[in-house]
Amino acid sequence: MQAVPALSLPALVVGLGLPYCLVIGGGLALRAQEMTLFGAPLEIIWIFACFILVPACLYICWRLSSSARFNADRKPVE
């Protein structure tokens, strides 16, 4: 059984830190605003935008970690 390699720091930040800041930080920052867009509060529109942004962050994290694993598994050609 092979050991699972650890995630790199950029992959961890993009995969966990950025989505957390997007959802929680954006929601809290927009909560104080009383702006509306097409009759809906800006906070609600932001949360719906996070439905697309969070999977995009996780995809980037997956690509960062898989490329690191691919480069670690490659053996030099002699």
Side-chain angles (χ1 to χ4, degrees), residues 17-63:
L18 193 57
Y20 180 80
C21 291
L22 283 173
V23 175
I24 303 299
L28 291 175
L30 294 174
R31 189 175 194 164
Q33 307 296 326
E34 294 186 12
M35 295 172 45
T36 61
L37 186 64
F38 302 116
L42 199 55
E43 181 183 17
I44 299 298
I45 293 171
W46 178 252
I47 294 299
F48 278 106
C50 285
F51 287 157
I52 303 298
L53 295 172
V54 169
C57 290
L58 294 176
Y59 175 75
I60 292 169
C61 173
W62 178 69
R63 295 293 295 179

Side-chain angles (χ1 to χ4, degrees), residues 3-23:
V4 177
L7 287 175
S8 64
L9 184 61
L12 195 60
V13 168
V14 170
L16 291 176
L18 193 57
Y20 180 80
C21 291
L22 283 173
V23 175

